Amino acid sequence: MNSAFLAASPLALPDSLTGAARVLVHAGRLDADTALRLAQSARERQRGFAQAVVEAGALSASELAHTLARALAVPLLDLDAFDPRALPRGLLDAPLARRHQVVVLGRRSGRLFIGGADPTDQLAAERIRFATQLTPEWIVVEQDKLARLLDAGTAEPLPAPPGGTDFRFDLADDGAGPPTAAESAQVASEVEDAPVVRFLQKMLIDAVNARASDLHFEPYETHYRVRFRIDGELREVVQPPLPIKDKLASRIKVISRLDIAEKRVPQDGRMQLTLGARAIDFRVSTLPTLFGEKIVIRILDASNARLGIDALGYEPDEKARLLHAIQRPYGMVLVTGPTGSGKTVSLYTCLNLLNRPGVNISTVEDPAEIRLPGINQVDVNEKAGLTFSTALRAFLRQDPDVIMVGEIRDLETADIAMKAAQTGHLVLSTLHTNDAPATLTRLLHMGVAPFNVAASVLLITAQRLARRLCEQCKAPADYPEDALRRAGFTDAELDGGWRPYRAVGCAACNNGYKGRVGLYQVMPVSEALQRLILAQGTALDIAQQARREGVRDLRQAGLVKVRAGVTSLEEVITVTNE
């Protein structure tokens, strides 16, 4: 609790005006005379100050809760987001809870999370501490909702989950510091019979089963819709009732450790879904729009990083080049491409191959998307001063063998990463460039010295994701030879020994496609390329030299997949049409 706020006294207030009354006067929500009158009324009627304020109509329950939560830096929780039967029983004597107008939200180790309308009530805190031998942690709740909950009395225990589904949410333990409202409401994570909770549960399970990468919850003026991004394309799956949007947003925020009271600024959090023995992380992003908060949930399935390099779609020669580079004791390997091109999965596949008991691996990301045991992962926190460059400096004092930098964004980060690559460390990172040759010139344009680039970079992989043709319904396609030549096929490749396939569509796929495959340009930095870098050659010069050394560009890599019947010519042209 923010005791400094209570101690500060820019106004000359009577000594008898303490706790929540003083806070409300300081915040400009009540004048001193009204606060004194309400405090006196509360004492005479043996009621809490918060009850007196709401019953007198001086402030609404919502205004009171938001003011106290903001001023005292105490989490705020919406009790309507939960079913009362989900709350724990037996931790606090019911008469004591009613007397002090509190509700038990959960217990964690030696802490008891209690919801109340007045978190400055020290008498209540001391009595609860004495009765439970636990340390009370306040969570602000709205007085009217609290009163309805207490008046409802004791509820029956929760029934077993329907169908025996082993489903639960776990709070993401990201080391964010003091517990939030989400942490205090951990017991509500297994509620199965609340409509909003059941709906969210169904959406998440459906998205995982459909192999979606993202869920979009989008409010509009007259309707509300949910879309999944499957194989790179957004698809509308349902339009739930419009009134559900606020409760659904509150539910997602609670289990993602976000402030449910803050609806004016974007927020980021994460949560975890456990399905049987499988744990799936989700990254949550909220965005205020004209008609409510849009929420996007990204599915971060760590099992993708354990699929192995063969599942990513590297051709044998590309795979050999990449494995040779990451087995080097020092140097830099860069993975490039636009957002959503699979760079993170490629990097973590490499880290998984390197992750052995004798190797110290550290990563810094914004944020860490896939969690792997055995790897020291750090989230960027720019507000606290933890940037890519500061984390990199710290890594170098941590005796690392392998360092992964989520993204090289500026010259300072690039310089430190280059020096780390030259001083006995293997550095993996990403850049947002169109292809591998452009990556080298991008580093030079950032201000990195040419000799540092030439001495540090071992290999660059540019990549895109193309949709795979469904094996059950794909059909041979007849293209004119002129069209195939324009796409990039040579006369030697048009030898009649293969035929392309096209998408058809069936019940087992999405419009003829199922899953995605990577298209890769894997470019080792040879001595000839190093000489070009030192001479500050253009991206065109570097691309021509790479072609002479047998490096395929992204279009050629896609055409290899067309010849193998993995994807369609239309998909390759769409993905590589730059």
Side-chain angles (χ1 to χ4, degrees):
M1 187 182 301
N2 192 346
S3 57
F5 186 96
L6 294 174
S9 184
L11 302 174
L13 300 178
D15 292 338
S16 59
L17 199 60
T18 60
R22 184 176 292 267
V23 172
L24 295 174
V25 173
H26 283 183
R29 306 297 302 192
L30 294 178
D31 59 66
D33 291 340
T34 301
L36 277 171
R37 176 172 53 81
L38 291 172
Q40 179 63 28
S41 172
R43 283 192 294 270
E44 290 174 355
R45 301 172 60 191
Q46 295 185 342
R47 309 197 69 147
F49 178 74
Q51 287 178 277
V53 170
V54 174
E55 289 173 358
L59 288 174
S60 70
S62 176
E63 290 172 331
L64 175 65
H66 281 72
T67 301
L68 293 178
R70 189 176 298 111
L72 299 173
V74 177
L76 176 65
L77 181 67
D78 182 5
L79 288 176
D80 281 351
F82 309 104
D83 189 293
R85 293 176 294 173
L87 299 176
R89 307 294 171 189
L91 294 176
L92 184 64
D93 183 56
L96 182 61
R98 283 194 294 271
R99 184 181 312 126
H100 293 290
Q101 290 289 291
V102 296
V103 60
V104 175
L105 299 171
R107 174 182 177 178
R108 191 170 193 178
S109 299
R111 294 179 295 177
L112 185 71
F113 297 100
I114 54 174
D118 183 3
T120 67
D121 190 343
Q122 296 300 318
L123 177 61
E126 288 303 319
R127 287 182 174 174
I128 292 170
R129 187 195 310 271
F130 178 80
T132 64
Q133 297 300 301
L134 298 171
T135 302
E137 296 276 357
W138 282 102
I139 308 295
V140 177
V141 297
E142 292 160 278
Q143 174 62 39
D144 55 348
K145 297 176 182 178
L146 175 63
R148 288 198 299 269
L149 184 64
L150 292 173
D151 290 343
T154 304
E156 295 299 321
L158 274 175
T165 303
D166 181 9
F167 174 90
R168 68 178 185 273
F169 284 109
D170 297 319
L171 297 171
D173 185 10
D174 55 4
T180 64
E183 191 172 4
S184 68
Q186 185 175 5
V187 291
S189 63
E190 294 186 8
V191 181
E192 295 288 345
D193 61 342
V196 170
V197 178
R198 288 205 311 271
F199 175 76
L200 177 59
Q201 168 185 334
K202 184 179 187 307
M203 288 297 97
L204 293 176
I205 293 177
D206 286 352
V208 171
N209 291 336
R211 298 172 293 99
S213 60
D214 302 87
L215 298 84
H216 292 240
F217 297 86
E218 301 170 319
Y220 297 96
E221 184 174 12
T222 59
H223 68 284
Y224 188 57
R225 71 176 178 181
V226 181
R227 295 193 289 174
F228 293 172
R229 186 176 293 279
I230 302 173
D231 296 337
E233 290 191 342
L234 277 173
R235 171 183 297 184
E236 183 174 315
V237 293
V238 68
Q239 285 196 12
L242 186 60
I244 202 176
K245 64 177 184 179
D246 291 331
K247 289 187 177 182
L248 185 60
S250 295
R251 174 64 181 170
I252 294 172
K253 284 182 175 181
V254 163
I255 58 180
S256 305
R257 300 174 59 98
L258 301 180
D259 183 358
I260 64 173
E262 183 56 78
K263 301 180 179 180
R264 300 166 298 176
V265 297
Q267 297 186 68
D268 293 298
R270 58 190 305 149
M271 60 186 179
Q272 189 177 85
L273 165 68
T274 302
L275 282 172
R278 184 182 178 193
I280 301 171
D281 287 317
F282 297 84
R283 191 177 73 196
V284 179
S285 173
T286 72
L287 178 70
T289 68
L290 289 176
F291 304 107
E293 288 181 285
K294 175 180 178 179
I295 299 178
V296 175
I297 301 177
R298 169 153 289 188
I299 301 175
L300 308 172
D301 191 350
S303 63
N304 289 335
R306 302 187 182 96
L307 292 174
I309 195 167
D310 292 327
L312 300 184
Y314 284 93
E315 295 298 320
D317 57 337
E318 298 167 345
K319 172 185 170 182
R321 292 172 190 161
L322 179 60
L323 292 178
H324 176 70
I326 66 173
Q327 295 299 333
R328 299 275 291 273
Y330 58 88
M332 178 179 286
V333 175
L334 295 173
V335 179
T336 72
T339 301
S341 60
K343 299 188 298 295
T344 300
V345 171
S346 294
L347 281 176
Y348 269 93
T349 299
C350 294
L351 290 178
N352 203 42
L353 292 172
L354 298 170
N355 189 14
R356 300 185 299 272
V359 179
N360 179 17
I361 303 176
S362 296
T363 75
V364 55
E365 301 164 79
D366 186 18
E369 294 191 349
I370 298 174
R371 298 184 177 184
L372 287 181
I375 294 178
N376 308 292
Q377 297 174 276
V378 175
D379 271 345
V380 165
N381 186 345
E382 294 188 356
K383 290 183 180 179
L386 181 56
T387 62
F388 282 114
S389 55
T390 54
L392 268 175
R393 288 194 185 93
F395 285 171
L396 295 178
R397 296 189 289 271
Q398 293 276 319
D399 186 30
D401 298 302
V402 180
I403 296 173
M404 196 270 271
V405 185
E407 182 184 349
I408 293 179
R409 296 177 177 174
D410 51 53
L411 177 59
E412 183 181 15
T413 304
D415 271 337
I416 300 171
M418 293 286 175
K419 291 173 183 174
Q422 296 175 41
T423 54
H425 309 91
L426 180 65
V427 179
L428 310 180
S429 190
T430 72
L431 274 174
H432 289 284
T433 57
N434 290 332
D435 58 16
T439 304
L440 293 171
T441 55
R442 170 73 182 278
L443 289 170
L444 297 176
H445 292 158
M446 287 175 67
V448 181
F451 63 86
N452 277 334
V453 176
S456 304
V457 181
L458 300 175
L459 177 137
I460 301 171
T461 295
Q463 66 181 70
R464 300 290 188 275
L465 290 178
R467 291 179 294 171
R468 287 181 180 268
L469 285 168
C470 174
E471 292 295 332
Q472 296 186 27
C473 66
K474 68 179 183 180
D478 293 321
Y479 298 110
E481 285 196 4
D482 287 345
L484 295 175
R485 288 191 181 92
R486 286 195 301 270
F489 285 107
T490 64
D491 289 338
E493 291 170 330
L494 299 175
D495 56 6
W498 60 277
R499 66 184 312 172
Y501 286 84
R502 60 181 175 85
V504 177
C506 66
C509 65
N510 300 312
N511 300 319
Y513 297 96
K514 187 174 182 179
R516 291 194 285 181
V517 65
L519 310 180
Y520 302 96
Q521 180 185 29
V522 182
M523 187 181 77
V525 178
S526 62
E527 291 185 4
L529 289 177
Q530 288 177 337
R531 287 193 292 270
L532 276 175
I533 296 168
L534 292 172
Q536 299 190 38
T538 65
L540 181 60
D541 297 331
I542 294 171
Q544 289 174 343
Q545 178 59 36
R547 195 174 300 116
R548 286 192 289 270
E549 295 177 3
V551 176
R552 288 184 290 269
D553 62 24
L554 289 167
R555 171 61 65 85
Q556 292 169 337
L559 297 180
V560 171
K561 297 293 191 292
V562 173
R563 290 189 63 181
V566 174
T567 189
S568 66
L569 183 62
E570 293 85 356
E571 180 70 5
V572 168
I573 292 174
T574 299
V575 170
T576 62
N577 189 20
E578 298 173 348

